[in-house]
Amino acid sequence: MSGSGGGGDGALLVVGDVVTDVVARHRGPLAVGTDTASAIRTLPGGAGANVACWAAHQGCADVRLLGRVGTDSAAWHERELRASGVRPQLVVDPEAPTGTVICLVDTGAAAERTFLTDSGAALRLDPDDWSPSLLDGVARLHLSGYLFYAESSRALAAVALESARARGVPVSVDPASAGFLARLGVDRFLALIDGIDVLLPSRDEAHLLTGLPDPADAAAKLSRFVPLVVAKQGAEGALVAREGGVVARIPATPATPRDTTGAGDAFTGAFLAALLAGADAEGAAAEGCGAGARAVEKVGGRPPGADQPP
């Protein structure tokens, strides 16, 4: 399978998490034991769902999403995804509520964020939620890295990857969380993603996966395991690596950050949409940098649009 794009003649299927984000924007350190004034909003989120929405926002005409939600907010999430141009296939969990992430965002210059995560139904996807027919008409499959951090969703990811390989559908993975990745273990993660075509790690994830402090060295090493590595570098753009070497350094698009939540998802969604439209990896990475810049200038992880309260 190739790590290059399709030709715009097929769908993008994203499998991943759909969660409710509670974004609390505060300035300066949290006041432990008392109140910290914050601006708080409840927004649709989840790395997988965000990627799908950004791909649709970037112009991908057929974006599909397989995810799992609770009965508490299934209708709201379905409505929000459709409003963003995504065709959702949401499994409603009879027991667990929709996953929730509390995003604590420091409104200082860096707009850094800290996540408190209750995965809820999101990582309870299991192999019974998969059908090979989900790949009908699909030109590219993207697996959110969060799938690999829970037993049932990890089993689903394995089945989906096997189905895609049987059909010759290229597969991309975004590791999604350095914290969860460290707990799972690097060797185990690399074994689980064996056979994918594109890996889209952050700087921290690439460092963790290789043990190499230099981002270019880390990206180069990862490209010995995965045909195409696009390492996201935040305000420093992105690195494109193939066959053990960095082949392009993509500059960041200037931005004034308000909230970095979902910036990596925006990059991934725009990158995949560009690949499907026929761009090469370097051009797609430039599109990803542009989307990442737009993402950090707004609150929440989704593209600009109709974020309605639940």
Side-chain angles (χ1 to χ4, degrees):
M1 289 181 290
S2 170
S4 60
D9 56 350
L12 169 65
L13 172 62
V14 179
V15 182
D17 45 318
V18 181
V19 307
T20 299
D21 284 343
V22 180
V23 182
R25 301 176 70 241
H26 60 93
R27 182 171 293 278
L30 295 172
V32 178
T34 186
D35 297 312
T36 300
S38 305
I40 300 175
R41 293 179 65 190
T42 300
L43 300 166
N50 292 346
V51 167
C53 289
W54 278 98
H57 182 73
Q58 195 71 11
C60 188
D62 188 352
V63 182
R64 309 171 191 179
L65 172 69
L66 174 64
R68 195 173 181 109
V69 295
T71 57
D72 53 319
S73 58
W76 175 57
H77 279 291
E78 173 109 8
R79 186 171 68 246
E80 287 291 314
L81 288 163
R82 289 192 181 281
S84 294
V86 175
R87 295 170 55 189
Q89 178 154 336
L90 299 182
V91 180
V92 179
D93 194 296
E95 299 174 3
T98 300
T100 301
V101 175
I102 298 176
C103 312
L104 304 176
V105 182
D106 187 338
T107 59
E112 281 302 327
R113 79 275 194 222
T114 301
F115 295 150
L116 303 176
T117 302
D118 179 351
S119 297
L123 300 189
R124 286 164 57 92
L125 277 166
D126 64 41
D128 288 341
D129 297 325
W130 178 261
S131 167
S133 64
L134 288 167
L135 290 173
D136 291 349
V138 169
R140 182 168 290 278
L141 170 66
H142 178 73
L143 301 176
S144 169
Y146 282 111
L147 295 170
F148 297 96
Y149 305 134
E151 185 175 353
S152 63
S153 57
R154 188 159 52 239
L156 168 79
V159 171
L161 179 55
E162 182 180 359
S163 288
R165 293 183 70 181
R167 289 206 187 190
V169 175
V171 181
S172 56
V173 171
D174 184 330
S177 169
F180 284 168
L181 177 57
R183 284 192 285 278
L184 177 68
V186 167
D187 290 343
R188 190 175 184 192
F189 179 80
L190 290 174
L192 288 166
I193 66 168
D194 182 48
I196 71 167
D197 299 81
V198 184
L199 183 67
L200 295 127
S202 69
R203 183 200 305 259
D204 289 345
E205 292 153 5
H207 168 65
L208 184 61
L209 285 167
T210 61
L212 297 176
D214 181 78
D217 290 344
K221 183 175 181 179
L222 286 171
S223 71
R224 300 189 190 110
F225 302 99
V226 179
L228 175 63
V229 173
V230 182
K232 297 172 281 190
Q233 306 295 306
E236 295 180 18
L239 301 169
V240 179
R242 292 190 189 88
E243 298 180 344
V246 171
V247 297
R249 296 172 182 264
I250 310 301
T253 301
T256 302
R258 292 182 66 205
D259 174 12
T260 56
T261 303
D265 303 333
F267 181 105
T268 296
F271 174 84
L272 294 174
L275 280 190
L276 280 168
D280 61 17
E282 292 80 358
E287 293 292 331
C289 285
R294 294 193 296 278
V296 302
E297 293 188 326
K298 67 178 294 293
V299 176
R302 297 280 176 90
D307 292 334
Q308 299 297 326

